[in-house]
Structures are given as structure tokens and as C-alpha cells.
Amino acid sequence: DSGVTQTPKHLITATGQRVTLRCSPRSGDLSVYWYQQSLDQGLQFLIQYYNGEERAKGNILERFSAQQFPDLHSELNLSSLELGDSALYFCASSPLWGAVDTGELFFGEGSRLTVL
Amino acid sequence: LAKTTQPISMDSYEGQEVNITCSHNNIATNDYITWYQQFPSQGPRFIIQGYKTKVTNEVASLFIPADRKSSTLSLPRVSLSDTAVYYCLVGGSGGSYIPTFGRGTSLIVHP
């Protein structure tokens, strides 16, 4: 158990819909990362927050948005869903921003999104 | 950002030692080398991290030559449960480092 909690674990929805994925980081971790993993794209970085502020953006679509709340949990909002958005969405946390020397990212179990 | 190159796939048999090499020719002075393991439908899990020479923990060893342009993850006596994708990441401490996962190496351990 990494200590990172993601909900829901599975989500099935239709094209055009909007969903929200939730992530609770490990206790004390200030940094949250979101990744998307699909079969043909591998693990793609989407966005990072540190202590409530956006710190870095990757290949995140304009239809997607995220935020980190004062209690440090984060939400990833996906709107106008398309078939191609079907993927595993992972949240990871770490104690510091960009802190490689302290060790690792702690990943959640992921949220599997299926868009029909 | 240092680019990494690792084999797409490897096969091994139970009980063998597996070595996965990662090339990172443009590694920067402050960059660390980190390896993750990912099982199907699970999030990646940290295995080991190093800066130079050799690092060993209860799971694996990491060998880094003096020029640091490559690194080798060594898994001793693999079992079927070591079948997973292994990712090599290179990046520096602090600043704007974003852990970037390539396609990784898919290791299949056969009975």
C-alpha cells in the first residue's frame, strides 16, 4: 500500500460526458502528479501541483483540468470525453517539488476510465 | 532533460539473474538514476535509485559506471512474480524536474 488513494477505481461513461477523478496523497506529501496510461502511449505526464499551486504541465488536453485543494487532495476533471480518453489515470505524490534525491514517487492504484 | 534508452522487452527464466541496461548519454551532473517497476493495472513502484558506483537494496542492485552514461538494474534470481515493466528515469534534484517515464522494458520470466 503506497498510501496514495484514488477514486473511483473504475468508471464507465459515454462520449461527451464529464468525470472527476480524485486523489488523496500520502500524509504529509505536498506534491501531486497526474499521469495517463493508455496502451499505445505509455505513461504520460499530465500535470503537477505543489501545495495547492500548479507547478508543471505536460501533454494535458484543454478539455482536462486539475486542482489541488487546501487539504492537499487533488482532482482531475475530464470533460467532453472522447473514446481516446479511455485509459488508466494515475496519481502520484512526493514530499517535495521535484525532489528526486529524497527517493521516489508514490503511485496510487489508478482510476480506469472507459469511454463508450 | 536526459533521454533514456532501454530495451523494449526481455525474457528470462526463474532463478536467473536479469540485467537491464539503460543508456542516458546526456545525463547532467545533478541527475540521479531511478528505476521503477510496474505490474499490469497497477501504479509504478520505486525499486532503487543511485548517483554513481553501486547501490544495493533487498530487491535489486544498480550499477553505474564512472561516466554515468548508462546504468544497469540487476535482479538476482528472478521469479515469475518479477514479470513486469521496468522503467529507467534520469533527473536532477529540485528545480523543475518532472519524472518522465518512457515505454520501459517489459520483462517476462518463464517457468
Side-chain angles (χ1 to χ4, degrees), chain A:
Chain A
D1 183 7
S2 68
V4 177
T5 303
Q6 289 189 247
T7 57
K9 287 186 166 42
H10 300 276
L11 191 55
I12 301 174
T13 188
T15 55
Q17 295 298 305
R18 171 189 170 93
V19 299
T20 296
L21 309 180
R22 181 188 169 101
C23 170
S24 294
R26 289 191 324 153
S27 177
D29 283 359
L30 300 177
S31 195
V32 168
Y33 303 75
W34 285 96
Y35 289 84
Q36 177 193 56
Q37 187 169 41
S38 55
L39 283 175
D40 58 343
Q41 293 292 328
L43 197 60
Q44 299 285 315
F45 167 70
L46 294 178
I47 197 164
Q48 183 212 0
Y49 281 83
Y50 175 76
N51 203 21
E53 293 188 10
E54 180 186 305
R55 287 299 191 183
K57 258 186 177 179
N59 298 323
I60 186 167
L61 299 171
E62 285 191 12
R63 299 184 286 109
F64 296 0
S65 65
Q67 60 184 128
Q68 185 178 28
F69 295 85
D71 67 352
L72 300 178
H73 92 270
S74 179
E75 293 181 356
L76 179 66
N77 301 296
L78 315 174
S79 61
S80 303
L81 286 168
E82 302 175 359
L83 297 177
D85 298 327
S86 295
L88 261 173
Y89 291 85
F90 289 106
C91 166
S93 74
S94 72
L96 298 172
W97 169 37
V100 174
D101 54 353
T102 58
E104 65 241 58
L105 292 185
F106 297 85
F107 279 81
E109 296 279 317
S111 293
R112 181 175 293 281
L113 173 66
T114 302
V115 183
L116 301 176

Side-chain angles (χ1 to χ4, degrees), chain B:
Chain B
L1 188 66
K3 178 178 165 57
T4 60
T5 303
Q6 52 183 123
I8 294 173
S9 64
M10 295 182 68
D11 289 87
S12 184
Y13 291 89
E14 284 191 292
Q16 289 189 334
E17 178 184 73
V18 171
N19 296 308
I20 306 175
T21 297
C22 178
S23 297
H24 28 80
N25 290 319
N26 59 339
I27 187 169
T29 304
N30 292 333
D31 284 349
Y32 285 75
I33 300 154
T34 310
W35 286 80
Y36 286 81
Q37 173 192 58
Q38 185 181 26
F39 298 114
S41 298
Q42 292 186 25
R45 183 176 70 107
F46 172 92
I47 300 177
I48 199 166
Q49 183 183 75
Y51 183 79
K52 62 180 178 179
T53 63
K54 177 184 173 183
V55 179
T56 298
N57 61 22
E58 65 278 6
V59 177
S61 294
L62 178 59
F63 297 91
I64 306 169
D67 66 5
R68 304 201 326 123
K69 292 185 184 300
S70 66
S71 59
T72 299
L73 174 72
S74 181
L75 305 172
R77 297 179 298 282
V78 294
S79 64
L80 297 177
S81 63
D82 292 314
T83 294
V85 178
Y86 294 82
Y87 298 94
C88 165
L89 280 70
V90 172
S93 60
S96 59
Y97 170 66
I98 296 297
T100 300
F101 294 77
R103 300 308 295 263
T105 297
S106 176
L107 172 66
I108 298 176
V109 180
H110 302 276

